[in-house]
Amino acid sequence: AQSVTQLGSHVSVSEGALVLLRCNYSSSVPPYLFWYVQYPNQGLQLLLKYTSAATLVKGINGFEAEFKKSETSFHLTKPSAHMSDAAEYFCAVSEGPKTSYDKVIFGPGTSLSVIP
Amino acid sequence: DAGVTQSPTHLIKTRGQHVTLRCSPISGHKSVSWYQQVLGQGPQFIFQYYEKEERGRGNFPDRFSARQFPNYSSELNVNALLLGDSALYLCASSLFGLRYFGPGTRLLVL
């Protein structure tokens, strides 16, 4: 079984400060890991994904995440927060690129606020 | 290229009614999945269909059903609606681990 936990349901940072959103996962098979962003009243947009290649993954909008197997973590970071980063962020896990079985488990989400 | 499309965008129903939500995947994608996102929570997996067959089902009651058509579009049906069914319903199409979500259908049950 797979599961995802996100520490901190709400995170506030100042504009220009480091963004750190925490994600820990549990998986009985090598996981594929994802970060999605959701802006108010919109669907989900993929920020980045880990698919068993490089452990440091770079995504869109300056975000990156590092896969640490020993810590079962996949934390999301951005060096300098921008006002437009204010949104809900979801960490997610799946079993891999099996088109015939594509179940994604999402974490509860972290709401990011950026203070001017 | 068109992304995943869902219809309708918004829907208001009353308790006990039935609802049908529709999803059109990206061209070439044969897999469609449905997720329910209750306000303030992460999306929860409801169903996955691949090549018109159900390949996965989440922990949802039998009031929820779905099907996939020969053109790979999909419908999600919910019978006997409850207030707790109010949520954003997301559809995703995927191909070899590349997954794309639609904008969702926001359902309000009164």
Side-chain angles (χ1 to χ4, degrees), chain B residues 26-69:
Chain B
I26 292 171
S27 178
H29 288 197
K30 300 179 179 179
S31 172
V32 171
S33 299
W34 288 94
Y35 292 80
Q36 180 197 63
Q37 185 180 18
V38 174
L39 192 64
Q41 298 181 21
Q44 299 290 315
F45 175 77
I46 309 175
F47 284 112
Q48 185 214 354
Y49 275 76
Y50 174 70
E51 287 281 20
K52 302 180 288 294
E53 291 186 0
E54 182 182 306
R55 293 303 185 101
R57 184 184 182 114
N59 187 25
F60 281 81
D62 291 343
R63 298 185 296 107
F64 289 76
S65 64
R67 55 179 176 169
Q68 187 176 33
F69 298 98

Side-chain angles (χ1 to χ4, degrees), chain B residues 13-110:
Chain B
K13 293 284 189 178
T14 57
R15 283 177 296 175
Q17 285 189 311
H18 163 90
V19 69
T20 297
L21 310 180
R22 295 177 175 81
C23 172
S24 292
I26 292 171
S27 178
H29 288 197
K30 300 179 179 179
S31 172
V32 171
S33 299
W34 288 94
Y35 292 80
Q36 180 197 63
Q37 185 180 18
V38 174
L39 192 64
Q41 298 181 21
Q44 299 290 315
F45 175 77
I46 309 175
F47 284 112
Q48 185 214 354
Y49 275 76
Y50 174 70
E51 287 281 20
K52 302 180 288 294
E53 291 186 0
E54 182 182 306
R55 293 303 185 101
R57 184 184 182 114
N59 187 25
F60 281 81
D62 291 343
R63 298 185 296 107
F64 289 76
S65 64
R67 55 179 176 169
Q68 187 176 33
F69 298 98
N71 66 353
Y72 303 111
S73 67
S74 177
E75 284 184 353
L76 175 69
N77 296 283
V78 186
N79 293 322
L81 285 167
L82 303 174
L83 296 180
D85 295 330
S86 296
L88 178 67
Y89 289 84
L90 295 164
C91 172
S93 75
S94 62
L95 183 66
F96 299 125
L98 296 177
R99 186 181 309 104
Y100 300 88
F101 282 86
T105 293
R106 190 164 296 279
L107 171 65
L108 177 61
V109 182
L110 301 176

Side-chain angles (χ1 to χ4, degrees), chain A residues 45-60:
Chain A
Q45 180 182 8
L46 180 66
L47 277 178
L48 50 80
K49 61 181 179 181
Y50 166 76
T51 58
S52 74
T55 57
L56 183 61
V57 182
K58 294 188 182 297
I60 62 172

Side-chain angles (χ1 to χ4, degrees), chain A residues 2-59:
Chain A
Q2 297 180 308
S3 66
V4 176
T5 57
Q6 293 182 242
L7 184 63
S9 60
H10 189 92
V11 171
S12 292
V13 300
S14 298
E15 189 175 17
L18 171 70
V19 175
L20 171 60
L21 304 183
R22 300 179 186 274
C23 171
N24 288 88
Y25 70 92
S26 173
S27 179
S28 58
V29 299
Y32 275 37
L33 294 160
F34 311 84
W35 275 100
Y36 288 88
V37 62
Q38 186 176 39
Y39 297 100
N41 300 312
Q42 295 189 25
L44 297 171
Q45 180 182 8
L46 180 66
L47 277 178
L48 50 80
K49 61 181 179 181
Y50 166 76
T51 58
S52 74
T55 57
L56 183 61
V57 182
K58 294 188 182 297

